[in-house]
Amino acid sequence: AQSVAQPEDQVNVAEGNPLTVKCTYSVSGNPYLFWYVQYPNRGLQFLLKYITGDNLVKGSYGFEAEFNKSQTSFHLKKPSALVSDSALYFCAVNPSGTYKYIFGTGTRLKVLA
Amino acid sequence: DARVTQTPRDKVTEMGQEVTMRCQPILGHNTVFWYRQTMMQGLELLAYFRNRAPLDDSGMPKDRFSAEMPDATLATLKIQPSEPRDSAVYFCASAPGGGGELFFGEGSRLTVL
């Protein structure tokens, strides 16, 4: 079965430190990969996506993600965390440009001042 | 700034009542999704439409839920009769085509007493 895993329910990081939010997937073919962020009482907002090309993708608010085909991972990173980055982050996979998106369970990021 | 608009933002109702949630997708987007978010289940796909036609509503309880797109500017999700277990945040999302990022509305928070 196709799936997306976000192994950490919560990630805590000090402000100014680098952050990583992990995502691995089990999907056949060449899926499209996404990260979304959700702030309290808001909808999900698109951060970045990987379809093809360079394995390091840059997105909004200074976030980037690294695609690793052999490890089937798409980890979200940021070199220096801000308190305002505290939110719920979702990884999502779209199998080869279909209309079905598979979302992970979300990782709550808490950036401590 | 194009955005997906959902109404109502908050709805409190009694068990057994009919609830209708509305969504205005971004103009020109031909794909519309309904998701439900709860703490226990995370983000669940209820239904999606392409060019106003329902492609998949397998995630929706058929006996009480129905989803329609009367025209390209309006998608509706109806629950009749509502039950306390339907309490959740319901999100509408739209996309311009297959495989791209989704644009989410702010959600409709439903509480069924």
Side-chain angles (χ1 to χ4, degrees), chain B residues 40-113:
Chain B
M40 295 300 294
Q41 300 295 328
L43 207 58
E44 301 174 271
L45 176 65
L46 296 177
Y48 69 86
F49 295 76
R50 180 183 181 187
N51 296 325
R52 295 175 55 201
L55 288 187
D56 187 349
D57 60 2
S58 59
M60 212 163 58
K62 299 290 191 307
D63 56 338
R64 299 182 300 107
F65 284 59
S66 61
E68 295 180 343
M69 279 201 75
D71 61 60
T73 65
L74 177 64
T76 63
L77 179 66
K78 187 177 294 186
I79 307 174
Q80 167 62 20
S82 58
E83 296 181 2
R85 59 179 167 154
D86 301 329
S87 297
V89 182
Y90 292 81
F91 287 104
C92 175
S94 70
E101 62 267 31
L102 302 182
F103 293 78
F104 283 80
E106 297 287 65
S108 293
R109 181 179 298 276
L110 174 66
T111 303
V112 183
L113 302 175

Side-chain angles (χ1 to χ4, degrees), chain A:
Chain A
Q2 298 178 326
S3 63
V4 174
Q6 293 183 243
E8 301 151 319
D9 288 337
Q10 182 158 320
V11 169
N12 295 328
V13 63
E15 187 175 31
N17 282 5
L19 70 87
T20 298
V21 182
K22 296 178 181 176
C23 172
T24 58
Y25 61 92
S26 176
V27 172
S28 57
N30 298 309
Y32 299 178
L33 305 165
F34 303 84
W35 276 101
Y36 292 85
V37 60
Q38 185 180 29
Y39 297 101
N41 300 315
R42 303 293 300 276
L44 279 71
Q45 297 176 35
F46 168 74
L47 275 179
L48 50 79
K49 67 181 175 186
Y50 173 85
I51 295 178
T52 186
D54 193 348
N55 290 345
L56 187 65
V57 180
K58 294 191 184 297
S60 306
Y61 310 121
F63 283 93
E64 55 192 26
E66 187 168 13
F67 169 63
N68 187 316
K69 187 170 184 177
S70 62
Q71 296 185 3
T72 61
S73 67
F74 189 54
H75 299 333
L76 182 70
K77 300 173 187 284
K78 187 173 182 181
S80 178
L82 299 172
V83 172
S84 57
D85 292 330
S86 299
L88 186 58
Y89 290 81
F90 288 94
C91 179
V93 174
N94 181 314
S96 300
T98 67
Y99 285 96
K100 280 222 167 182
Y101 295 78
I102 305 166
F103 280 86
T105 51
T107 298
R108 190 163 299 281
L109 173 68
K110 192 168 184 179
V111 181
L112 308 168

